[in-house]
Amino acid sequence: IAGITQAPTSQILAAGRRMTLRCTQDMRHNAMYWYRQDLGLGLRLIHYSNTAGTTGKGEVPDGYSVSRANTDDFPLTLASAVPSQTSVYFCASSDSTSGSDTGELFFGEGSRLTVL
Amino acid sequence: GQNIDQPTEMTATEGAIVQINCTYQTSGFNGLFWYQQHAGEAPTFLSYNVLDGLEEKGRFSSFLSRSKGYSYLLLKELQMKDSASYLCAVVDSNYQLIWGAGTKLIIKP
């Protein structure tokens, strides 16, 4: 089934540890995004990539890094996790050819991360 | 600052009609999305409006008034499976998506 796959689906992590959330899409979409979703708040953009080889900072990038070595993969790394990074993380992609956010977003199933 | 306002929670009865409102104040406007998100699941696309007026898609319709900074999602013939959160998101002048916090819709039999 075509779509976006995220791993892990759930993880409990000790503060200070390094963690990478994986995201793979098979739709050949140019643009990919990482969001976090917290209760009572809208989805907040962490980082994005308009095309392979390029990345950009979103609204809440501090403490996170990304890479886009190829079209399909867009991993998100927490270099040294802190409790405030406890959240549900969603990876998304869109078939955006201009880099604009006017295309429908396709979301992965989410990764629930708890930092203790 | 940029702001998207939606009611936090709404309750409706199975078979009825419900209207979920979204008001926005953003730097520019390049379209508005509605997404549905069931508990514990990913958001899924419902509709996109960029021009004023009503877009109908089966039991769901979405309305936009750019001059009023206002949109609504209309759900007809409500079914229990419509219990979900409904997210409003606006594309601003920089083509960035600004998300509302979502409206949790509870359907009662």
Side-chain angles (χ1 to χ4, degrees):
Chain A
I1 298 177
I4 296 184
T5 303
Q6 290 185 234
T9 56
S10 180
Q11 182 76 43
I12 299 174
L13 188 65
R17 297 297 294 268
R18 180 183 180 90
M19 177 73 195
T20 295
L21 304 181
R22 300 184 298 280
C23 176
T24 300
Q25 55 111 351
D26 61 4
M27 297 176 283
R28 307 303 294 173
H29 285 170
N30 288 321
M32 297 188 75
Y33 311 87
W34 273 106
Y35 286 95
R36 60 178 289 172
Q37 187 174 42
D38 302 290
L39 196 63
L41 298 176
L43 287 163
R44 292 184 290 170
L45 183 65
I46 304 170
H47 285 286
Y48 65 93
S49 169
N50 289 331
T51 189
T54 69
T55 62
K57 294 181 179 180
E59 179 186 357
V60 288
D62 294 343
Y64 305 95
S65 63
V66 292
S67 62
R68 187 88 183 277
N70 55 60
T71 297
D72 299 342
D73 301 300
F74 191 45
L76 176 74
T77 297
L78 290 67
S80 179
V82 295
S84 62
Q85 292 176 312
T86 294
S87 188
V88 180
Y89 292 86
F90 285 101
C91 181
S93 72
S94 72
D95 188 16
S96 168
T97 56
S98 65
S100 67
D101 275 333
T102 55
E104 173 189 349
L105 288 179
F106 294 83
F107 286 86
E109 289 302 310
S111 296
R112 183 175 297 275
L113 185 65
T114 302
V115 183
L116 302 176
Chain B
Q2 309 206 86
N3 195 50
I4 310 286
D5 284 319
Q6 307 179 234
T8 302
E9 187 174 296
M10 300 181 69
T11 302
T13 303
E14 190 177 16
I17 299 173
V18 71
Q19 177 175 311
I20 302 174
N21 295 325
C22 171
T23 58
Y24 61 89
Q25 294 171 314
T26 56
S27 58
F29 178 86
N30 282 298
L32 185 146
F33 288 91
W34 284 97
Y35 281 79
Q36 180 190 59
Q37 185 178 24
H38 286 101
E41 297 183 8
T44 55
F45 171 81
L46 284 178
S47 67
Y48 173 69
N49 294 68
V50 67
L51 299 176
D52 291 350
L54 187 68
E55 295 274 347
E56 297 186 75
K57 192 184 295 185
R59 294 189 298 114
F60 292 9
S61 303
S62 56
F63 172 84
L64 174 67
S65 169
R66 289 172 295 172
S67 63
K68 295 182 179 179
Y70 168 70
S71 173
Y72 67 72
L73 183 68
L74 190 72
L75 292 72
K76 303 177 184 177
E77 301 169 15
L78 285 169
Q79 301 175 10
M80 297 303 293
K81 67 179 182 180
D82 298 329
S83 291
S85 289
Y86 292 86
L87 314 181
C88 174
V90 172
V91 185
D92 71 7
S93 58
N94 294 318
Y95 291 94
Q96 299 302 308
L97 262 179
I98 311 300
W99 293 85
T103 299
K104 182 178 181 180
L105 178 63
I106 299 168
I107 309 296
K108 295 185 175 180

